[in-house]
Amino acid sequence: MLLPIVLWGSRPPSHTVSCLFLSRDDKVLISGSTEGQLLVCDVFPEALIPRNFLVGHSTEVVGMDQLVSGLNNFHIISAASNGEVFKWNVTDGSYMLSTVVQGPLIKLQTLPSSQNVLVCGQYGAITVLDYNTLDIKHHLVPSDPTHWVLCYTVFQPPKTKDEEVVCITVNGQIKTWNLQFEGREKMILESETKILNCPRPVCVTYNPRSLYNCLIVCQSIWRIYRAGDFVLLCSGASNQEVPWSGGKFYTVDKIMLWRENGVLYVYQLPARAIRPVDHSDASWSAEPPTLLYSVPTGPLMECLLVHKKSMRTPHDVLIRGDRDGRLSLWKQDREKDIASEGLVECIHTSLSKTWNKDNVALVNEKCNRCGDAVDITASVYLESLSYIACGLSSGDIIVGLVHHFLTHSLFKCTEDSEEIDSRVRLKGHKGNVSVLLYPHASQPSSYLPNILYSGGADFSVKIWDWKKVVLLQSFTTHTGPLTRLFLPPTQATGKLRGSVVSVCQDNSIAITTHAQFTPLFVGSCHHTGVLEIRWRLTEDILLVHCLDDTVYVWGLSTGHLDRIETGAVALSLVSACQTFSEGEHCKLEIKPSSSVTRHSTGLSVVPFSFSPGDNMSHLLLFDTELLLHLLSQLQGDIMTHEFERSKSQPNVTERRRASARVDQRLSDRRTSIIKQTETAKLLEERSVISEIPVENTAEIKSSSEDIEDKEDDKETLDIIKLTCSLLLSCLHAWGVDLNIDRTCVKHLGLLVPGKELSYGTVGSSSTFMLLLPGWEQSIQQQSPNTVEAPFGRWCISSTLTTQHLLSVSALANKQMSTDLTLSFNRRAKNNTAKREDKTWEREERLRQSINESEKKAGWSHVTALHCIVLPEHVPPGYCSPLLTHLALKWQDRCMEVREASQALFLRELRRIGFTGRQQLVNQWYPYIVRKRDINPPEPLEKVYTMDLPLIPEYFAKFINRPEKSRSSVSVEDEDLPADSYPVSVIILGVIVSEFPDEVEVTSVRNHVTSQERRDVIRSSFLLTHDMLRGVAAHLFSQLIKPPSQLPLHSPIRRASVDLIGRGFGVWCEFVNLTAVVMTLLELQTDPLVPIEVKKAIAQSGNIPGTGNKECLAAAATVRAAYQASILIANNRPQQTVTALSKEIMTFKCDVEAGLSIQSLSVFPSSYHTVLDKGRYPIYLLVQNIIEKTKVRDLAAIIVKIVEIMLFCIDTDQFKTRTLSELVPSLTKNVLIDYCAATQQVVVGSAEGLVHVFDVKNTKCTPLHAHNAPTSAVSLATNGRTLVTFSENEGRVSIWQSSSGLLSLMSPGPLKLVRVVDALPPLSSNHSSKSPLFKWEATKLVSLYLSDGTKKSFAV
């Protein structure tokens, strides 16, 4: 879970407008740019406020259109010139899905009526995409492949319902396609073609008012044609050198055209071009149009969009965007003339206008001359050290710990001079530092970690030792500013190993190294920019691939240009050479993270810029799950090691002093020998070292290494804790509760943000939603009377709210547990330390104890604030957490995330009340009805067709019809993720498990009439009895799915496991208990989880230790299965024990019959494998039943419990241990007794029988002791005498084994000796105490009754 925070800097990023889109409700304006990002602006009556960027496209955005979405969401689809098509949720600011279409795109348009999307590129086809999945459905292909499509539009002829696509090809032909795709092939040819004289067309559009004529704009001319037969009505030519760039119908009789220089023209159409006429009349001729006026809107106009409102609204909306990112919006009355009224601009905005120069930047420095902020022109993140190097516009380079930069730039704090001085400042460049490179990050074996390369506007490449603040080399081989730095491939040898390739603004390249004063290579005849550099080291060749696809072939050793290749030969050379250079990346992207190392801190900094001329912005990526994992790992390792070492070894200070004394002794001895004779320096050094015993030197070396490793671990731990503190300081809801804010600052070490923070969200495929500075103004404009500044963040996006609440809650819980671990370790050290108990020491310990309690209470209040209290303080604009995200995190492998998601989920369910939960059921249950690929206990069709009126009206449309594909899902379903079915199962399972009183557990169909039952169900229950059956079937299906369909340790399976256990009181009526219990037991037999971890899970319920993700996921599955089996056993103890007993009996019979245990796959139909490998989980389950069930309730199943326990325990264990040691809770029951001498277990039953188990051969001998339930049993110490008692019968039975010579080795069978009446028979006993036997002597036993009386018997 990545949480981004953006540091934009003092200057706005570039945003060259390439296309515009205004939502249908006129509230949101979106502009695409040539840099690839989408700018989302909120439109208000008197303001146009930029809100956020949607970042995902890597090239120019060429088109956008709105999708038909739900009431609360606004979806758009965007296309880029390289073929990327993205689908966005603008309301939530989240990425949904994407695809790539072959070829460069030039236009995009949606078809809401047929739920299709049309995209057109610079090739001979129009691609039809599915509305929901963006899958390619059809290709509209011209019959002649050379007729490439340049522009198109969608037209619906009058008096018809069928839409048509009308396009203009590169040779000026008009082609049309009918948009009825049902039953047609993937490749569709045009239905009509007509040749027109339209050279170099720009756009084509129809008159939306009359649908009678269409406008075709070319670069040099424009023409009006009649729709249908394309008869020319009128035309106009361009009298200027500036070509036309677009046009649309303004009114029925007017058109609006604009040129690339930003001049707007309005033409009056002739009468014959407006209304239908008879063109067969010979007197008819095309009339020229009349130019009414022209309006210069700006010289840098990139595009202009005319958005036509309905005829009921008297205003049109005109929008203009230019290359500087300026957006302007006008409203013009159709009844008034633009010339008379003038084209008056209503509102306008730009990033430069709304940008604040005091925005958050990573380095806050002022220029000494003008006092303006110093810009960051280049930066590189040293991830292995958590350092960052920033190149400034002043020419300096600052290197320091990134946490120190963030502390002083984001929060209100006094600058610590020591931390400021600890930053390294490298001075040497004159002018901007244009590029930085840290080569050790990519090739650690070839470059030292203290080497840093820099390039500047002073034409120089400098090589630094940043740790020593030394300039190693400086090369000035270029004639312009440096733009890029590359590394040679890892296979490089000789002088190339450890070098760097620099690229200049004049397109020259050079290879330099710090080991040589002159460059290794210089090449400077490239005509265009350098795209990439490829190597052929075996042939001593360097290939430079330029932007115009020209390849320059250089000789590395000679430095001569061998040849220049273009066209297909150049591309073949590039493709044949797979070795390319690695350089710095300024594009905003997330690289796949490597495995967790000891230097990982959970924070990464991504420097980026949208355009080469922009200043550097920085994206902070906090990984919450990685932070939690690192805290558990490092904290546990270091604290455990220090606690063990404190008992037997001296502290670090003493060891450091001892090591220093030994080092000083070695140094003095070496110095004295060197002074005696310098000629034998090496030999004498060896002799000096040889005089020290090997054991001592090894011990000293290992001791010093151990100290360094532990100090590094402590430093890493401090950085991780500092990262957590910074993240919590950024995410905490400041201003909601002032008392909690003071506690956070005083006791928890959090910092108050000093400036407005720009948050964001991260989607898949390296997509981002990044808030812009000033986003709080947009929130306050939407609700000026309700939303205050502290609450604005919670009114932006549901995805943002979900991620922030989850992270704060999880990290607060982890910080509380970490502080408790530290305090426990500190107290343990104080207890083991031998020192005098002074008064000041007692006061210090008391003060620490108070501080620890305040910290614990503070973290608890922070968790409660974000999990429970926050929605009560936030105004009505609160964006509640997404239940879909929380459902997927319901059983996350991370304990803190899991607990936080469950708390937030349940809080939301309680907050929305019964009505809100009913809406959730109505929204999500149809996904379960559609899923027909499972085998529920009763077919869903049969269930729902029994009584259709019992089903809510919303569900009735999904019954008795085939399952729909995602492309035909209704509009309301489009806000759901691709995995809607498992999410629906989890959401409904949580509702049923946590609110069992609101569902119909028992069917009342046979008790009331259909109409009465319908009224009761609709008013009282969320889910009916039949609906519960379907949910239970799908939960069970998620549980038993094979790993080929659902990963064994996926969160979906764990959530199903957990919900089955939580709500088993409801599900038990619909699922097979034996199948559920045996499946849960099999999940607990995972070989990836060690037995020590399983024991720890059984004892504490938590997963101890650390490991890789696969092991943690497996342990989380084992934990969920264990807890679910415990809940089921506690809910249905007798049924659980009976099911296990039957399976064990079947297993024993098969084994005795000689059947081998087959190695079956996961979740087999036979449970022999589970019983053979899962004896320990069965042992834990039954032991829990014994401990949680009352003694009198155990009487009915006690015999089966003993059978199960003896099956689980290895018989060899009884040779050294007794039954009380193996199963302590079992021997506490008065119905069970064990004799160690004979290794027999005696069990009384509710039927009056007494079962004697022989542990050696696990055979059972039943004895008919009483005609009423047995109340107590006891064996003599020698195992030859047995006494039993039945309280309801009032008799004591005495049994003895046969005596004789053979019975000395093994006692014979027990025989009834006599029966003694102890008391009158009782019909029932309501006493809480149970009768008990106690042996006073070998032949004397006493019976203590439930009323406290004692009776003795001689045996």
Side-chain angles (χ1 to χ4, degrees), residues 208-209 252 308-316 334-335:
R209 303 285 189 256
V252 177
K308 290 291 185 180
K309 302 293 290 183
S310 64
M311 292 301 295
R312 298 178 182 178
T313 304
H315 292 94
D316 287 332
R334 296 193 200 98
E335 304 300 330

Side-chain angles (χ1 to χ4, degrees), residues 634-686:
L634 292 177
Q635 187 69 31
D637 293 345
I638 294 178
M639 293 300 104
T640 302
H641 178 79
E642 289 188 353
F643 178 70
E644 293 177 353
R645 188 180 59 178
S646 62
K647 296 181 179 179
S648 57
Q649 297 182 3
N651 55 29
V652 176
T653 304
E654 293 178 357
R655 297 182 64 187
R656 191 177 298 171
R657 290 176 181 174
S659 178
R661 288 195 297 268
V662 174
D663 293 341
Q664 184 64 31
R665 208 164 43 244
L666 287 173
S667 177
D668 295 343
R669 185 70 178 273
R670 186 180 296 111
T671 302
S672 62
I673 294 177
I674 291 175
K675 289 181 179 180
Q676 294 176 4
T677 168
E678 294 184 358
T679 57
K681 178 179 179 181
L682 181 60
L683 296 176
E684 290 179 3
E685 285 182 354
R686 290 178 180 175

Side-chain angles (χ1 to χ4, degrees), residues 817-837:
S817 62
T818 303
D819 292 342
L820 290 176
T821 304
L822 289 170
S823 62
F824 174 79
N825 189 28
R826 190 184 304 111
R827 287 194 298 269
K829 286 184 178 182
N830 293 335
N831 293 333
T832 56
K834 297 180 180 179
R835 58 184 182 179
E836 297 180 0
D837 187 12

Side-chain angles (χ1 to χ4, degrees), residues 994-1143:
E994 298 297 329
F995 302 93
D997 297 336
E998 298 179 359
V999 298
E1000 185 191 9
V1001 179
T1002 305
S1003 178
V1004 295
R1005 180 174 303 174
N1006 299 326
H1007 303 283
V1008 295
T1009 63
S1010 179
Q1011 182 62 37
E1012 292 174 345
R1013 181 174 180 270
R1014 187 183 303 114
D1015 296 338
V1016 171
I1017 291 174
R1018 288 183 176 177
S1019 61
S1020 304
F1021 297 123
L1022 295 175
L1023 287 92
T1024 65
H1025 187 267
D1026 296 333
M1027 295 165 66
L1028 282 177
R1029 183 188 300 273
V1031 177
H1034 287 271
L1035 267 179
F1036 184 69
S1037 172
Q1038 297 279 49
L1039 173 65
I1040 64 175
K1041 273 186 179 180
S1044 59
Q1045 300 180 10
L1046 183 66
L1048 187 61
H1049 305 300
S1050 67
I1052 302 297
R1053 191 189 299 274
R1054 287 198 298 270
S1056 301
V1057 168
D1058 178 74
L1059 294 175
I1060 288 178
R1062 285 173 180 257
F1064 195 76
V1066 179
W1067 313 125
C1068 61
E1069 186 180 352
F1070 311 104
V1071 298
N1072 187 344
L1073 184 142
T1074 302
V1076 171
V1077 172
M1078 299 307 292
T1079 304
L1080 295 179
L1081 291 174
E1082 183 169 5
L1083 288 175
Q1084 299 178 53
T1085 61
D1086 197 304
L1088 291 176
V1089 183
I1091 188 64
E1092 294 80 8
V1093 176
K1094 295 179 181 179
K1095 291 181 179 179
I1097 291 175
Q1099 292 175 1
S1100 62
N1102 297 328
I1103 302 174
T1106 56
N1108 55 27
K1109 293 183 178 181
E1110 185 178 1
C1111 294
L1112 291 176
T1117 303
V1118 171
R1119 175 190 173 277
Y1122 170 76
Q1123 293 185 346
S1125 61
I1126 294 298
L1127 292 174
I1128 293 174
N1130 293 337
N1131 190 276
R1132 295 289 189 274
Q1134 295 186 1
Q1135 293 87 334
T1136 303
V1137 171
T1138 303
L1140 290 174
S1141 178
K1142 288 182 179 180
E1143 293 298 329

Side-chain angles (χ1 to χ4, degrees), residues 340 506 903 1007 1053 1220:
S340 60
D506 62 358
H1007 303 283
R1053 191 189 299 274
S1220 60

Side-chain angles (χ1 to χ4, degrees), residues 75-87:
H75 297 169
I76 67 165
I77 187 169
S78 62
S81 59
N82 61 347
E84 298 173 342
V85 180
F86 280 40
K87 186 177 179 181

